[in-house]
Amino acid sequence: MTNLSTTMLASLLAMGVATAASAQQRVQSTTDPRLYGEIGLSQLKIEAEDGPLSAEAKPGLLTGTLGYQLWPFLAIEGQVAGNVMKDEIKLNGANTGVDAKIPHMVGLFLKPTLPLGERVELFARAGVVRTKLELSAGGIDVDDTGTSGAYGVGINVNLSPVSYLQANWMNYYDKDDIKLQGVGLMYGRRF
């Protein structure tokens, strides 16, 4: 073997040992907190298209999540959200006088995680969400409720062993030419 291949082999072995040691440290003991809660704000974007017409609104939500760590790298979560800001629908960029809001949204997710050291963790979410959309103009309210598969990705940055900040992107609804996507900023606490 050449010096370069010996060096590369030694480096790969060292990385493998370090990764295994890190993973072993990450294995959850029975005293590690398994339950966690998150609260934060989400900015959504509702988009609907019908031929040449395109409608858009950006309501805001207060979002709460309760999760349980099943294994070190997999959790199950329940999520609820409610309206904190309605937005006027724009049709092809023009104001319509019709407001859109999400009175409530509930979801159930599986959340696999990938730690990147002790402070940072990447995650994905996949599950199902039931969303209620309400449109209102001039005292007339129209609402509709729909269920859809949902998915997203995010990052947790640990502030301490029991608290963290989170940024995420989620696709909550994508059916019948209607999309509901959003970004969120959360504070999380492990119990």
Side-chain angles (χ1 to χ4, degrees), residues 95-108:
N95 290 338
T96 62
V98 177
D99 289 327
K101 69 179 184 177
I102 308 286
H104 65 266
M105 183 166 57
V106 294
L108 185 63

Side-chain angles (χ1 to χ4, degrees), residues 24-184:
Q24 190 171 12
Q25 287 176 348
R26 177 84 170 128
V27 172
Q28 216 164 17
S29 75
T30 56
T31 60
D32 285 344
R34 291 180 170 259
L35 189 63
Y36 61 91
E38 300 166 355
I39 190 163
L41 295 173
S42 298
Q43 179 68 56
L44 301 184
K45 183 177 182 181
I46 303 168
E47 295 177 290
E49 293 184 9
D50 187 12
L53 299 177
S54 175
E56 181 180 299
K58 297 179 180 177
L61 296 178
L62 177 64
T63 304
T65 303
L66 186 61
Y68 183 77
Q69 200 73 37
L70 298 169
W71 295 285
F73 303 109
L74 183 66
I76 187 167
E77 296 181 332
Q79 190 177 80
V80 296
N83 187 71
V84 291
M85 183 182 75
K86 61 186 175 183
D87 188 42
E88 185 174 358
I89 295 175
K90 292 175 181 47
L91 184 62
N92 290 346
N95 290 338
T96 62
V98 177
D99 289 327
K101 69 179 184 177
I102 308 286
H104 65 266
M105 183 166 57
V106 294
L108 185 63
F109 297 96
L110 283 178
K111 179 183 169 188
T113 59
L114 175 65
L116 301 176
E118 290 183 26
R119 292 187 46 99
V120 178
E121 179 179 72
L122 299 178
F123 67 86
R125 280 191 180 115
V128 63
V129 171
R130 184 155 179 86
T131 305
K132 180 176 183 179
L133 172 64
E134 185 176 288
L135 306 177
S136 59
I140 299 172
D141 293 335
V142 177
D143 61 61
D144 193 14
T145 303
T147 303
S148 177
Y151 58 90
V153 294
I155 185 169
N156 290 336
V157 177
N158 291 323
L159 302 173
S160 74
V162 295
S163 66
Y164 56 93
L165 293 177
Q166 177 187 108
N168 65 60
W169 171 87
M170 292 292 299
N171 183 338
Y172 291 108
Y173 191 90
D174 192 353
K175 283 178 156 178
D176 306 320
D177 295 321
I178 299 172
K179 288 184 182 180
L180 176 59
Q181 301 176 346
V183 293

